[in-house]
PDB file of all heavy atoms in Angstrom:
ATOM      1  N   GLN A 211     102.914  32.147  98.953  1.00  0.00           N
ATOM      2  CA  GLN A 211     102.518  31.247  97.945  1.00  0.00           C
ATOM      3  C   GLN A 211     102.883  29.697  98.371  1.00  0.00           C
ATOM      4  O   GLN A 211     102.090  28.796  98.270  1.00  0.00           O
ATOM      5  CB  GLN A 211     102.988  31.453  96.647  1.00  0.00           C
ATOM      6  CG  GLN A 211     102.362  30.642  95.489  1.00  0.00           C
ATOM      7  CD  GLN A 211     100.931  31.027  95.366  1.00  0.00           C
ATOM      8  OE1 GLN A 211     100.397  32.065  95.694  1.00  0.00           O
ATOM      9  NE2 GLN A 211     100.126  29.963  94.723  1.00  0.00           N
ATOM     10  N   ALA A 212     104.091  29.547  98.773  1.00  0.00           N
ATOM     11  CA  ALA A 212     104.586  28.248  99.134  1.00  0.00           C
ATOM     12  C   ALA A 212     103.862  27.690 100.408  1.00  0.00           C
ATOM     13  O   ALA A 212     103.465  26.413 100.379  1.00  0.00           O
ATOM     14  CB  ALA A 212     106.150  28.340  99.639  1.00  0.00           C
ATOM     15  N   LYS A 213     103.591  28.480 101.414  1.00  0.00           N
ATOM     16  CA  LYS A 213     102.874  28.109 102.587  1.00  0.00           C
ATOM     17  C   LYS A 213     101.508  27.665 102.177  1.00  0.00           C
ATOM     18  O   LYS A 213     100.935  26.555 102.632  1.00  0.00           O
ATOM     19  CB  LYS A 213     102.739  29.155 103.568  1.00  0.00           C
ATOM     20  CG  LYS A 213     102.067  28.798 104.873  1.00  0.00           C
ATOM     21  CD  LYS A 213     101.973  30.064 105.784  1.00  0.00           C
ATOM     22  CE  LYS A 213     101.264  29.672 107.012  1.00  0.00           C
ATOM     23  NZ  LYS A 213     101.098  30.811 108.046  1.00  0.00           N
ATOM     24  N   GLN A 214     100.879  28.478 101.345  1.00  0.00           N
ATOM     25  CA  GLN A 214      99.412  28.113 100.881  1.00  0.00           C
ATOM     26  C   GLN A 214      99.460  26.798 100.142  1.00  0.00           C
ATOM     27  O   GLN A 214      98.498  25.953 100.355  1.00  0.00           O
ATOM     28  CB  GLN A 214      98.922  29.226  99.968  1.00  0.00           C
ATOM     29  CG  GLN A 214      97.462  29.087  99.340  1.00  0.00           C
ATOM     30  CD  GLN A 214      96.998  30.204  98.621  1.00  0.00           C
ATOM     31  OE1 GLN A 214      97.554  31.378  98.665  1.00  0.00           O
ATOM     32  NE2 GLN A 214      96.172  29.918  97.647  1.00  0.00           N
ATOM     33  N   LEU A 215     100.322  26.596  99.255  1.00  0.00           N
ATOM     34  CA  LEU A 215     100.321  25.371  98.387  1.00  0.00           C
ATOM     35  C   LEU A 215     100.599  24.127  99.215  1.00  0.00           C
ATOM     36  O   LEU A 215     100.133  23.093  99.052  1.00  0.00           O
ATOM     37  CB  LEU A 215     101.326  25.506  97.207  1.00  0.00           C
ATOM     38  CG  LEU A 215     101.054  26.560  96.113  1.00  0.00           C
ATOM     39  CD1 LEU A 215     102.195  26.666  95.105  1.00  0.00           C
ATOM     40  CD2 LEU A 215      99.726  26.082  95.377  1.00  0.00           C
ATOM     41  N   LEU A 216     101.586  24.291 100.154  1.00  0.00           N
ATOM     42  CA  LEU A 216     101.842  23.106 101.098  1.00  0.00           C
ATOM     43  C   LEU A 216     100.690  22.763 101.814  1.00  0.00           C
ATOM     44  O   LEU A 216     100.326  21.440 101.996  1.00  0.00           O
ATOM     45  CB  LEU A 216     103.023  23.533 102.062  1.00  0.00           C
ATOM     46  CG  LEU A 216     104.440  23.624 101.291  1.00  0.00           C
ATOM     47  CD1 LEU A 216     105.374  24.260 102.330  1.00  0.00           C
ATOM     48  CD2 LEU A 216     104.950  22.223 100.901  1.00  0.00           C
ATOM     49  N   ILE A 217      99.994  23.705 102.332  1.00  0.00           N
ATOM     50  CA  ILE A 217      98.800  23.317 103.279  1.00  0.00           C
ATOM     51  C   ILE A 217      97.632  22.686 102.402  1.00  0.00           C
ATOM     52  O   ILE A 217      96.999  21.800 102.855  1.00  0.00           O
ATOM     53  CB  ILE A 217      98.361  24.648 104.021  1.00  0.00           C
ATOM     54  CG1 ILE A 217      99.295  25.082 105.016  1.00  0.00           C
ATOM     55  CG2 ILE A 217      96.910  24.412 104.804  1.00  0.00           C
ATOM     56  CD1 ILE A 217      99.065  26.396 105.793  1.00  0.00           C
ATOM     57  N   GLN A 218      97.479  23.351 101.269  1.00  0.00           N
ATOM     58  CA  GLN A 218      96.213  22.970 100.379  1.00  0.00           C
ATOM     59  C   GLN A 218      96.550  21.655  99.786  1.00  0.00           C
ATOM     60  O   GLN A 218      95.561  20.721  99.664  1.00  0.00           O
ATOM     61  CB  GLN A 218      96.003  23.942  99.321  1.00  0.00           C
ATOM     62  CG  GLN A 218      95.454  25.303  99.817  1.00  0.00           C
ATOM     63  CD  GLN A 218      95.156  26.275  98.770  1.00  0.00           C
ATOM     64  OE1 GLN A 218      95.736  26.110  97.612  1.00  0.00           O
ATOM     65  NE2 GLN A 218      94.436  27.340  98.993  1.00  0.00           N
ATOM     66  N   ASN A 219      97.771  21.333  99.328  1.00  0.00           N
ATOM     67  CA  ASN A 219      98.012  20.178  98.522  1.00  0.00           C
ATOM     68  C   ASN A 219      98.868  19.043  99.235  1.00  0.00           C
ATOM     69  O   ASN A 219      99.117  18.059  98.568  1.00  0.00           O
ATOM     70  CB  ASN A 219      98.670  20.577  97.219  1.00  0.00           C
ATOM     71  CG  ASN A 219      97.892  21.553  96.447  1.00  0.00           C
ATOM     72  OD1 ASN A 219      96.732  21.418  96.165  1.00  0.00           O
ATOM     73  ND2 ASN A 219      98.544  22.637  96.047  1.00  0.00           N
ATOM     74  N   GLY A 220      99.330  19.269 100.365  1.00  0.00           N
ATOM     75  CA  GLY A 220     100.148  18.269 101.045  1.00  0.00           C
ATOM     76  C   GLY A 220      99.469  17.674 102.253  1.00  0.00           C
ATOM     77  O   GLY A 220      99.233  18.439 103.197  1.00  0.00           O
ATOM     78  N   LYS A 221      99.218  16.401 102.311  1.00  0.00           N
ATOM     79  CA  LYS A 221      98.617  15.768 103.434  1.00  0.00           C
ATOM     80  C   LYS A 221      99.402  15.840 104.715  1.00  0.00           C
ATOM     81  O   LYS A 221      98.910  15.619 105.821  1.00  0.00           O
ATOM     82  CB  LYS A 221      98.123  14.373 103.114  1.00  0.00           C
ATOM     83  CG  LYS A 221      99.195  13.478 102.887  1.00  0.00           C
ATOM     84  CD  LYS A 221      98.539  12.074 102.488  1.00  0.00           C
ATOM     85  CE  LYS A 221      99.732  11.145 102.288  1.00  0.00           C
ATOM     86  NZ  LYS A 221      99.129   9.613 102.106  1.00  0.00           N
ATOM     87  N   TYR A 222     100.784  15.966 104.487  1.00  0.00           N
ATOM     88  CA  TYR A 222     101.652  15.975 105.637  1.00  0.00           C
ATOM     89  C   TYR A 222     101.874  17.345 106.256  1.00  0.00           C
ATOM     90  O   TYR A 222     102.589  17.577 107.240  1.00  0.00           O
ATOM     91  CB  TYR A 222     103.015  15.388 105.352  1.00  0.00           C
ATOM     92  CG  TYR A 222     102.890  13.949 104.753  1.00  0.00           C
ATOM     93  CD1 TYR A 222     103.044  13.741 103.433  1.00  0.00           C
ATOM     94  CD2 TYR A 222     102.452  12.891 105.677  1.00  0.00           C
ATOM     95  CE1 TYR A 222     102.852  12.297 103.050  1.00  0.00           C
ATOM     96  CE2 TYR A 222     102.338  11.607 105.144  1.00  0.00           C
ATOM     97  CZ  TYR A 222     102.624  11.347 103.717  1.00  0.00           C
ATOM     98  OH  TYR A 222     102.483  10.025 103.476  1.00  0.00           O
ATOM     99  N   PHE A 223     101.340  18.397 105.703  1.00  0.00           N
ATOM    100  CA  PHE A 223     101.565  19.792 106.127  1.00  0.00           C
ATOM    101  C   PHE A 223     100.259  20.415 106.556  1.00  0.00           C
ATOM    102  O   PHE A 223      99.220  20.342 106.044  1.00  0.00           O
ATOM    103  CB  PHE A 223     102.111  20.581 104.893  1.00  0.00           C
ATOM    104  CG  PHE A 223     103.406  20.165 104.459  1.00  0.00           C
ATOM    105  CD1 PHE A 223     103.544  19.339 103.301  1.00  0.00           C
ATOM    106  CD2 PHE A 223     104.541  20.600 105.122  1.00  0.00           C
ATOM    107  CE1 PHE A 223     104.757  18.889 102.850  1.00  0.00           C
ATOM    108  CE2 PHE A 223     105.826  20.114 104.612  1.00  0.00           C
ATOM    109  CZ  PHE A 223     105.882  19.253 103.493  1.00  0.00           C
TER     110      PHE A 223
END
Side-chain angles (χ1 to χ4, degrees):
Q211 190 65 23
K213 180 181 175 182
Q214 179 181 336
L215 291 174
L216 286 170
I217 293 175
Q218 288 179 348
N219 303 313
K221 65 178 182 178
Y222 300 107
F223 295 97

